[in-house]
Amino acid sequence: MKYEKQGHQNSLTGRFISKNPVCTMSSSTDTGAASGDGMPSGVPNKEEDGKKEATKHTYKTGQDRASSGSNNTGQRQKKPREGEKQKQPPLSEQKQSASPGQKQPQPGQKQQQPGQKQQQSGEKKPSQQEDKQAGAQNAILKQQNMQKKGQGQGEGFASGQAQADGVQPTKSKAELRAERRLKQEAQRAAKSQKKSEASTAPASKSDSLRVPAKVLGDDPATQKREAKKLEKQNVPQRLSVKRKDPHFSHLRQYERELKLPACGTLHPDILRLGLEYFEGFLQGSNARALGLLAAFHEVILSYSTPQNKDLSRDLEARIKPYISFLDICRPLSVSMGNAIKFIKWQIAHVAHDVSDKEIDEYVRKIDLASSAIVNCSKSKLTDGDVVIVYGCSSLIYRILCSARKSVNFRVIVVDGRPRCEGKKMIQHMVKEGIKCSYTTISNVNYVMQEATKVLLGAHALMANGCVKSRSGTSLVIMEANANNVPVLVCCETYKFCEKSQADAFVFNELGDPDSLVKVGNRKSVLAQCQDNTNLFLVNLAYDVTPPELVSVVITELGMIPCTSVPVVLRKQAFSET
């Protein structure tokens, strides 16, 4: 029995790494030939034991560990004592001690020398280094090709390399752009298809409710709905005219008659006010608003809250028929609409008992606003001025009467049909002793040549800066701009409107067409116009002037441009909250 020396030399440390000794049974001659040291078979070799102890703690690479086999992990074999024979391990243990893929040496066969093993491992390593060098050279060449041939070839190379590596290739920028373009085109096509379907589809009910009912006079459904509303409120209805101008068919126009409601359904003050509106006794936005406030003042004083009812809800339901009746007599003005909003706001914020003090305070604010405008306007008049006024305005009358005490000026009153309000204006000024003259709007171009200022009132100021006033005001303002005459518009801030209006066709008031036929006591040519189907009479109450033609607007806040109307409205809304 002898120990055979197996293993190889480590290429990193230069030491000889041996495997566990394998005990074989052979003759003495075979043992000496295999080991080469001439030692007896029963004596252990001390040099080999020292080498084994030294190589225990050496670093083993992955290749060395694979070649070392499974015997290194087992228990260490005991050294045979002197004079004691070593037992031969079983055949199964010999097979397990051998590394996989390595044949166990047969007795009498020479083992593979360590030099041969080192030569084989040395032949493998140069091949790996050559592969790394070749890969680096290929990468440099590919980078140079990408720089020369452009981005497209580089992307193709990258995709090809990704396919070679088994990774899904990424798309090029051109392909991504093409996909995005196709997606956008599909979205545009779907959007245009939706628009076409929406245009061909019939208008929904919510779309029709966006337009106010007062400008839907040609819509049968809206008129039917308004008739049911008036019938529910016990308000009498007026008959619409049979023939309307096609351009103004959307506006409401009634016959010259009014049916009075049954006794007890309306408050007496509301009934009297409606008849004054209908007959034209109250003219001007200030007079109509003050009359409305006075009538509702009496309504609130005579109101008492019923049992088991809320004050705000019951009172608001009580005044709704009153407002509908006044609107039937004559369409509400902007000043009246703002006054009604104020009354409703006060009713909604009342806790237990409603008072008329708030209405008195609102009337006092209107009077104070007029006084502030009078004080600001009279400072703009100087001696020798020739002032042109149009129609009859209570605010303009107060300004001229206040300035007469300190300034010497002359007034030209321009009047227009069919109401001829200028006659009332000139009667008041003659009583005050103001020098004045009277003419019609057809001669405004002639009298404008000697004028120095144009002083006008306003029905309302819209949110876009346009001035809404009695019909004919826009013509006077345009003549003033043509002759370089400054235009001063006097208006209280409670007449400012949140709506915008650029023309006088959409929102307007149609007056009685028969008033255009009457010309004094003479018989008019248009007396038989009702029988002519090709002739339509239109009596517009208001016109709209763009803000560029107005020099300044005088309010209780001072002199402001027309474009400052939204600022004033925002300030008023903030103060109310």
Side-chain angles (χ1 to χ4, degrees), residues 138-429:
N138 291 335
I140 294 171
L141 291 174
K142 290 171 184 177
Q143 188 176 3
Q144 292 177 357
N145 292 334
M146 287 174 65
Q147 293 178 357
K148 290 181 180 179
K149 295 182 180 180
Q151 189 176 2
Q153 293 183 359
E155 292 173 354
F157 169 74
S159 62
Q161 187 177 6
Q163 291 178 359
D165 295 340
V167 182
Q168 186 177 2
T170 58
K171 297 181 180 179
S172 63
K173 291 184 178 180
E175 293 175 350
L176 293 174
R177 282 196 297 269
E179 288 182 359
R180 287 195 298 269
R181 193 178 298 110
L182 291 174
K183 188 176 180 180
Q184 290 175 358
E185 290 177 357
Q187 290 176 353
R188 290 194 193 99
K191 198 172 183 180
S192 61
Q193 186 178 2
K194 286 182 180 180
K195 285 184 178 179
S196 61
E197 291 177 357
S199 61
T200 55
S204 61
K205 186 177 180 181
S206 59
D207 296 337
S208 61
L209 293 178
R210 294 179 182 177
V211 182
K214 60 183 179 180
V215 293
L216 289 174
D218 54 349
D219 187 13
T222 305
Q223 293 302 312
K224 187 176 181 181
R225 185 167 58 251
E226 289 294 316
K228 288 183 179 180
K229 175 184 174 183
L230 295 176
E231 184 180 358
K232 185 178 180 180
Q233 295 176 352
N234 295 325
V235 176
Q237 303 179 24
R238 295 181 63 182
L239 297 176
S240 300
V241 295
K242 298 179 180 178
R243 296 176 61 249
K244 286 185 180 181
D245 191 328
H247 300 90
F248 299 96
S249 60
H250 61 283
L251 299 176
R252 294 183 299 179
Q253 189 174 8
Y254 303 109
E255 296 286 349
R256 182 65 183 175
E257 61 179 8
L258 177 63
K259 293 181 181 180
L260 294 178
C263 183
T265 57
L266 295 178
H267 194 275
D269 291 284
I270 298 297
L271 185 59
R272 177 182 53 83
L273 181 63
L275 292 175
E276 290 178 353
Y277 288 163
F278 178 75
E279 297 294 338
F281 295 151
L282 281 179
Q283 299 289 340
S285 57
N286 281 340
R288 294 171 65 187
L290 292 174
L292 175 73
L293 292 171
F296 276 100
H297 181 272
E298 298 297 329
V299 169
I300 291 174
L301 286 178
S302 61
Y303 173 77
S304 60
T305 308
Q307 293 181 357
N308 301 326
K309 286 195 176 182
D310 185 49
L311 182 143
S312 59
R313 294 184 179 180
D314 185 70
L315 184 57
E316 187 175 356
R318 184 75 63 85
I319 66 175
K320 280 183 178 180
Y322 302 162
I323 297 171
S324 299
F325 174 72
L326 296 177
D327 189 41
I328 284 293
C329 294
R330 185 180 175 184
L332 302 177
S333 63
V334 175
S335 58
M336 294 173 63
N338 291 337
I340 291 172
K341 286 181 182 178
F342 171 78
I343 294 172
K344 286 185 176 181
W345 190 88
Q346 294 294 334
I347 292 173
H349 291 78
V350 166
H352 300 288
D353 191 12
V354 64
S355 175
D356 58 339
K357 293 181 180 180
E358 288 79 9
I359 296 179
D360 295 338
E361 185 67 22
Y362 193 80
V363 173
R364 193 175 68 87
K365 286 182 179 179
I366 294 175
D367 186 63
L368 290 176
S370 301
S371 301
I373 293 172
V374 168
N375 295 330
C376 183
S377 301
K378 68 180 182 180
S379 62
K380 297 300 176 183
L381 299 177
T382 58
D383 292 335
D385 279 344
V386 178
V387 182
I388 289 182
V389 298
Y390 178 70
C392 182
S393 174
S394 59
L395 183 58
I396 299 301
Y397 172 71
R398 289 182 60 180
I399 293 171
L400 296 176
C401 291
S402 177
R404 183 189 63 84
K405 301 174 182 179
S406 58
V407 182
N408 186 15
F409 57 90
R410 185 165 61 91
V411 179
I412 300 176
V413 179
V414 179
D415 201 1
R417 292 185 67 248
R419 294 180 180 175
C420 296
E421 297 174 347
K423 293 180 181 180
K424 185 178 179 181
M425 183 74 170
I426 201 169
Q427 289 176 2
H428 291 300
M429 286 192 296

Side-chain angles (χ1 to χ4, degrees), residues 508-520:
N508 211 324
E509 178 186 344
L510 289 178
D512 184 16
D514 294 335
S515 60
L516 298 175
V517 179
K518 299 176 182 179
V519 185

Side-chain angles (χ1 to χ4, degrees), residues 18-30:
S18 64
K19 295 183 179 180
N20 292 337
V22 179
C23 182
T24 56
M25 299 294 295
S26 62
S27 61
S28 61
T29 56
D30 296 337

Side-chain angles (χ1 to χ4, degrees), residues 443-457:
N443 299 324
V444 67
N445 189 21
Y446 173 74
V447 298
M448 192 64 70
Q449 297 176 4
E450 56 178 332
T452 57
K453 290 180 179 67
V454 175
L455 197 60
L456 300 172

